[in-house]
Amino acid sequence: DAKTTQPNSMESNEEEPVHLPCNHSTISGTDYIHWYRQLPSQGPEYVIHGLTSNVNNRMASLAIAEDRKSSTLILHRATLRDAAVYYCILRTSYDKVIFGPGTSLSVIP
Amino acid sequence: GAVVSQHPSWVICKSGTSVKIECRSLDFQATTMFWYRQFPKQSLMLMATSNEGSKATYEQGVEKDKFLINHASLTLSTLTVTSAHPEDSSFYICSARSPSRGPTDTQYFGPGTRLTVL
């Protein structure tokens, strides 16, 4: 299985943008890049996914490097409710979601 | 987004008893559901994949006789922890795969069930 590497933790000030990086140098052509997040004591929540092009939705933006070996999840204005563990996951269609350690994001008021 | 519910949200039981956790997809039919377990300060670990109408597929190291999974309908999967012991205390999370609406599907997760075995 292709693997991802994320920083263990990051901090952000409230109302500032946050860029969460993810490295996936062994990504294959059929792997989609998915992001989930898990708020404390809750189940994971789907955030966004993409294949090659950058993607935007109401929650976040996903910037994918041209060689697809890395990607960045962008939260445009961090709020206290964005404090969570963010997981970057590679999967092909119909693959099960396998979680790595993720990045624990702290948001400072 | 799609909604997945779990019941109960938390349960406390005595050692040696069995506990059943339900997972329901509320607004879509899920032919495949997944069960995860999460210990404090750790990531989620996939336990098994549950397909409607067939036997579950367990991940390596997960005891199928201890963690019984039933997926009797397209909207309900159950996980029964048999003869629970304190080391089974954990946060159990289910997930349901939505029907594909494009090049890839999405897994939606339930809110989790906190199991404490005394």
Side-chain angles (χ1 to χ4, degrees):
Chain A
D1 292 339
K3 296 191 176 184
T4 63
T5 304
Q6 299 177 253
N8 289 334
S9 62
M10 290 184 65
E11 275 188 358
S12 172
N13 293 318
E14 194 177 10
E15 299 193 2
E16 290 188 357
V18 183
H19 290 233
L20 297 163
C22 180
N23 288 319
H24 28 79
S25 58
T26 60
I27 190 171
S28 72
T30 54
D31 283 331
Y32 285 79
I33 303 159
H34 286 245
W35 284 82
Y36 285 81
R37 72 178 185 181
Q38 185 179 24
L39 279 64
S41 298
Q42 295 188 29
E45 174 186 28
Y46 166 80
V47 179
I48 201 167
H49 77 272
L51 182 63
T52 56
S53 304
N54 294 344
V55 184
N56 299 297
N57 65 22
R58 63 175 180 82
M59 290 182 69
S61 296
L62 176 60
I64 301 172
E66 199 168 328
D67 63 6
R68 300 209 327 127
K69 294 185 176 182
S70 65
S71 61
T72 303
L73 179 71
I74 302 166
L75 307 179
H76 295 287
R77 280 180 74 237
T79 70
L80 297 178
R81 291 184 297 177
D82 291 322
V85 179
Y86 287 79
Y87 299 97
C88 170
I89 295 161
L90 300 183
R91 56 189 289 247
T92 58
S93 294
Y94 303 110
D95 268 356
K96 49 203 172 186
V97 175
I98 303 295
F99 290 87
T103 296
S104 179
L105 175 66
S106 301
V107 179
I108 302 167
Chain B
V3 179
V4 176
S5 71
Q6 282 184 240
H7 177 80
S9 55
W10 59 269
V11 57
I12 301 172
C13 70
K14 293 182 179 179
S15 186
T17 61
S18 295
V19 174
K20 180 185 285 189
I21 302 170
E22 293 186 350
C23 175
R24 295 181 185 273
S25 56
L26 297 184
D27 54 358
F28 65 97
Q29 293 184 329
T31 54
T32 303
M33 290 184 172
F34 305 87
W35 287 95
Y36 294 80
R37 179 169 56 179
Q38 185 176 35
F39 293 108
K41 299 194 184 301
Q42 294 187 24
S43 188
L44 288 81
M45 184 194 79
L46 179 65
M47 299 175 67
T49 301
S50 166
N51 291 299
E52 187 265 337
S54 64
K55 289 183 179 180
T57 303
Y58 291 82
E59 296 297 307
Q60 192 172 8
V62 178
E63 300 174 60
K64 61 181 181 182
D65 294 331
K66 180 168 184 63
F67 299 99
L68 302 180
I69 292 172
N70 183 277
H71 192 159
S73 78
L74 288 172
T75 59
L76 174 64
S77 176
T78 61
L79 168 69
T80 301
V81 183
T82 62
S83 186
H85 291 284
E87 58 265 30
D88 298 322
S89 298
S90 188
F91 193 46
Y92 291 86
I93 303 165
C94 75
S95 171
R97 184 153 61 199
S98 70
S100 179
R101 295 189 178 96
T104 188
D105 63 326
T106 298
Q107 272 184 233
Y108 294 95
F109 289 81
T113 297
R114 177 80 56 192
L115 170 64
T116 302
V117 184
L118 301 177

